[in-house]
Amino acid sequence: MKLIFSKLTVALFTFVLLFASCSKVEDLPKPVPGKGDTPAPATALFRFAAQINLTGQPYHPSSLHAIVTVVNEKGEAVLTDKQLTIEIGEQVITQNLTLPVGQYKLTSFRLEHGNTYTRFAAPMAGSAKAQGVQHPLAISFGVKQTETTVVPVEVLKVAEGEKPAQFGYPAGAFDHNQSNTDPYATIKARVQIKVGDVVYENTTGSVAITTYTSNGAQTTTYASLKAGINDIKLLKAATRFTLTVTKWGTRSELSLTAADLELDTIYTFSTEKSAKLLKSETTLKMVNNQYVPDHKKVYLYGNGSKLTEVQYAFRQQDGSILRGITERLAYSGSNVASVKRFDEKGVQTWATSFSYDAANRVTGIDHQQGAERVTGAVTYLGTPATGMGITYTYTKPGYHYQIFHNRNFRLGNVQDYNITRTNFQEENGMSDYDDGINPYRFLNLPDLYLSNMNQNNVVNEYKYFHAGYPDATPYKSEYKYDADGYPTEVIHHYRSFKGGVSKHAYTTKTTFEYQ
C-alpha cells in the first residue's frame, strides 16, 4: 500500500530530522563535513517483498531473516549483507529501511535460517538459476520522498547440494554445510519401559520437545511416538533441546545440545516401575441386552508377592452363586511347580505340574484330571524366543492322540499360531495387540496352554478352523486403562461356528481391581 505525504507533513518531517539532536534513524549515512550549512538530504522509507508463500512451512520470523546488499548510483555499497527481520505470509516482507531519496540497486538477497543456512536466494543475471525467474538481480529501484517503496524480489529455493555459484554468488557466500538444506535434523528414538521383569519396547506415547535458541528464546512442541523406532525432528538453528516423555506414571528426559546430536544413534527414553498385581476380576455376561454376573476371581498372595491361591465364584443357571472353588500354587524357588484345583467341598479335581530350563522357561507340562492325562513338551527358538513349539499327548483309557502347537512371537506377543491334531483337525490364528499392559503376565501363573505369556492385550483375533469348531471363541476386545497402563475394564465379543457359519454369540464385560 502506498503512503502519501502532504507537503506540510514532509516539511514537518524534514524539520524533525534537522533539529532533533537526540533521535536516530536506522541506516541513515553519517553526513560528510563540508563548508557552510549544507542541508541534510531528504530520506524516505522502503522495504523488500520476496515473492514466495511460506504459509504452513516450517519457518518462523524468529529464526528466518533476510540478508541484503544495496548499492547507490555510483556502485558504492550503502547496505552490505544487512540482516533484516521479516513477516511471513503470502509474501515475505522485510522490515522498513531508510535511505536518502535516490536511485539504488539490490545486488544480493537471501533468506537465511538460523544465521547459517540459506534456504532461498534471488539469482543474479547470467547465473545458471537466473532462467528460473523473470527478473534476476540486480534490481533497480528508487527511494521516493512521497511514498514507502516496496521492491519485489523473486527468490528460488536452494536445494540440497546447490552451490552459491549456481545463483551467481561468490564461493563461500552461503555454502555453510549447504549439502543439507532441511532446517531440521532428524534423530531416532524409542520408548522403553521396564515393568517388573518385563521390558516394553512396543509402546506408543508423545514427546515434549523444548527448544532453546542462542538469543534465549524457548519454545515447546509436541510429537506423537509410534510403537518402535521413531524419527524426531529438531531445529538445527537451536543451541540445545530437552525431550521429555511421560508414560504410565513414569518420566524420562533427554538433554541434548546441537553439537551432541548423533543422527545414527537410536536414543532411548528408558524408565522402570514395579508391576501392579491383580486383586480381583469380575465378569458379567450380556443377557437380553443387560449384563448379569457370570463369575469372579480373587487373587491371594504370600510372602514376596508370590501368588498362592485363586478363589472362584460362579453364577449357576438357577441364579445362585457357587463359591469355594480354588486353585492353589506350590513353588520350587521362584518357579511355580504345580497348580491344583479343588471343588467347593475341598476335593481335588485336577493338578498340573511344570518343569523348567536354566532360563526359567517352562519345558514340561503334566496335567492330570481323573483318568485323563495330558503331557506337553515345550521347545523354544532363540533367546529371547521368537518361536515356540508344544507337543501335547492326550491319553485316557482306550484313547490316545497328539496335538502340535506352534507359535511365533513378535515384540513379546504371540503373533500367529498353528495347531494340528492327529485326528486331522486344524486351527490357525493371528492377533492384533494394543500397547497396554497385560496384567496376567505378572501373575506368574502358568497353565496347561501357557496362555499368560503375552506382554500386551489382544484387540482382534482372526481364527480359521478345519474339521472341528469350538462352541465360542473371542474375536474382538475393547479396553479401558488407568494412568499406569493397566486395564480397568475389557469387553470381549465372542463368535460361534454352529453349522460351519461364523456369527456373533455373546458379549462379556470384565472389570479389574489391583492391589
Side-chain angles (χ1 to χ4, degrees):
M1 179 184 292
K2 290 185 177 181
L3 303 178
I4 308 299
F5 292 81
S6 68
K7 292 182 178 179
L8 177 59
T9 302
V10 173
L12 289 172
F13 184 56
T14 303
F15 179 84
V16 170
L17 291 177
L18 290 171
F19 296 99
S21 60
C22 294
S23 64
K24 177 183 177 183
V25 180
E26 186 177 2
D27 301 311
L28 182 62
K30 293 181 179 180
V32 178
K35 297 180 180 180
D37 297 326
T38 303
T43 62
L45 300 174
F46 70 100
R47 62 176 177 261
F48 299 102
Q51 309 299 296
I52 185 169
N53 188 348
L54 297 183
T55 304
Q57 296 192 39
Y59 300 104
H60 189 271
S62 65
S63 57
L64 189 70
H65 47 259
I67 305 293
V68 304
T69 296
V70 175
V71 300
N72 60 20
E73 290 180 290
K74 298 179 180 180
E76 300 169 335
V78 293
L79 298 174
T80 302
D81 286 338
K82 176 68 175 178
Q83 180 174 307
L84 308 178
T85 60
I86 62 171
E87 295 179 6
I88 293 178
E90 294 183 358
Q91 295 180 320
V92 174
I93 307 296
T94 71
Q95 70 183 73
N96 285 333
L97 296 165
T98 304
L99 279 176
V101 172
Q103 295 297 312
Y104 299 90
K105 286 184 179 181
L106 175 66
T107 61
S108 172
F109 185 97
R110 300 180 287 119
L111 293 178
E112 188 178 74
H113 189 270
N115 299 316
T116 304
Y117 304 102
T118 294
R119 302 305 182 200
F120 303 90
M124 297 182 184
S127 69
K129 305 293 286 187
Q131 61 184 356
V133 299
Q134 292 184 356
H135 303 287
L137 300 181
I139 296 175
S140 298
F141 65 96
V143 175
K144 301 177 182 180
Q145 190 173 6
T146 56
E147 62 185 29
T148 296
T149 302
V150 178
V151 184
V153 186
E154 295 178 76
V155 297
L156 299 176
K157 184 176 178 62
V158 179
E160 182 175 347
E162 291 183 334
K163 298 296 183 181
Q166 295 173 259
F167 291 79
Y169 293 79
F174 57 82
D175 52 1
H176 306 291
N177 193 24
Q178 204 61 40
S179 61
N180 184 359
T181 59
D182 189 341
Y184 293 95
T186 301
I187 65 170
K188 297 185 180 298
R190 64 183 176 184
V191 179
Q192 186 180 87
I193 304 177
K194 185 177 181 181
V195 181
D197 62 346
V198 178
V199 176
Y200 284 82
E201 295 178 315
N202 185 37
T203 181
T204 61
S206 63
V207 57
I209 306 169
T210 302
T211 301
Y212 303 87
T213 59
S214 58
N215 61 6
Q218 173 182 331
T219 59
T220 300
T221 58
Y222 299 87
S224 297
L225 299 176
K226 67 180 187 298
I229 298 174
N230 294 261
D231 288 339
I232 298 178
K233 292 185 175 295
L234 301 176
L235 194 64
K236 291 178 180 176
T239 56
R240 61 188 180 93
F241 313 91
T242 300
L243 290 75
T244 306
V245 171
T246 54
K247 179 79 173 181
W248 296 344
T250 68
R251 176 187 175 93
S252 179
E253 185 172 287
L254 290 177
S255 294
L256 302 170
T257 66
D260 289 336
L261 298 183
E262 298 178 4
L263 304 186
D264 296 328
T265 297
I266 299 176
Y267 292 93
T268 301
F269 296 95
S270 181
T271 60
E272 60 181 85
K273 60 184 294 186
S274 300
K276 289 203 300 190
L277 299 177
L278 267 176
K279 180 180 179 181
S280 67
E281 59 180 279
T282 302
T283 298
L284 310 176
K285 187 175 182 179
M286 179 74 75
V287 178
N288 296 325
N289 294 321
Q290 64 178 1
Y291 284 110
V292 297
D294 186 76
H295 67 272
K296 181 175 182 177
K297 297 181 185 179
V298 176
Y299 300 93
L300 303 179
Y301 300 86
N303 295 331
S305 300
K306 285 185 177 180
L307 180 66
T308 57
E309 188 171 308
V310 184
Q311 298 179 344
Y312 291 83
F314 294 93
R315 181 180 183 273
Q316 301 186 97
Q317 290 186 348
D318 61 4
S320 62
I321 303 300
L322 177 63
R323 304 180 190 277
I325 296 177
T326 61
E327 291 174 6
R328 296 171 187 157
L329 285 69
Y331 286 83
S332 174
S334 60
N335 296 321
V336 174
S338 66
V339 180
K340 298 178 181 180
R341 174 174 278 202
F342 300 85
D343 64 17
E344 70 279 10
K345 297 178 181 178
V347 177
Q348 180 177 313
T349 55
W350 56 255
T352 307
S353 59
F354 305 92
S355 56
Y356 299 82
D357 63 11
N360 295 317
R361 301 181 299 188
V362 173
T363 55
I365 305 170
D366 193 343
H367 176 86
Q368 288 190 290
Q369 185 170 356
E372 181 178 341
R373 184 181 183 187
V374 182
T375 59
V378 187
T379 57
Y380 298 89
L381 178 63
T383 303
T386 59
M388 182 177 73
I390 310 176
T391 300
Y392 291 104
T393 301
Y394 286 76
T395 57
K396 65 180 181 180
Y399 194 70
H400 174 94
Y401 71 96
Q402 286 186 309
I403 295 179
F404 306 97
H405 189 154
N406 295 300
R407 303 175 185 176
N408 291 312
F409 294 97
R410 182 177 179 272
L411 297 173
N413 300 308
V414 177
Q415 192 71 18
D416 56 75
Y417 69 89
N418 167 262
I419 301 174
T420 56
R421 298 172 173 85
T422 50
N423 60 3
F424 304 108
Q425 291 180 347
E426 186 172 356
E427 176 182 340
N428 294 281
M430 297 182 295
S431 300
D432 296 331
Y433 296 83
D434 62 13
D435 69 339
I437 297 173
N438 176 12
Y440 300 116
R441 176 64 178 78
F442 301 97
L443 288 175
N444 190 21
L445 178 59
D447 58 16
L448 177 59
Y449 301 104
L450 301 181
S451 59
N452 294 331
M453 298 181 68
N454 290 327
Q455 293 184 187
N456 303 108
N457 296 307
V458 177
V459 292
N460 294 299
E461 299 182 60
Y462 313 93
K463 297 181 179 181
Y464 307 91
F465 301 91
H466 173 71
Y469 302 94
D471 292 335
T473 184
Y475 65 92
K476 181 180 179 181
S477 301
E478 301 162 291
Y479 292 85
K480 293 181 180 179
Y481 287 93
D482 62 17
D484 294 322
Y486 291 82
T488 57
E489 177 185 290
V490 58
I491 296 177
H492 292 301
H493 302 277
Y494 290 78
R495 76 172 95 219
S496 65
F497 297 87
K498 292 182 178 179
V501 178
S502 172
K503 62 180 181 180
H504 178 77
Y506 60 86
T507 298
T508 64
K509 178 170 69 174
T510 299
T511 56
F512 301 92
E513 288 186 81
Y514 299 89
Q515 287 193 332

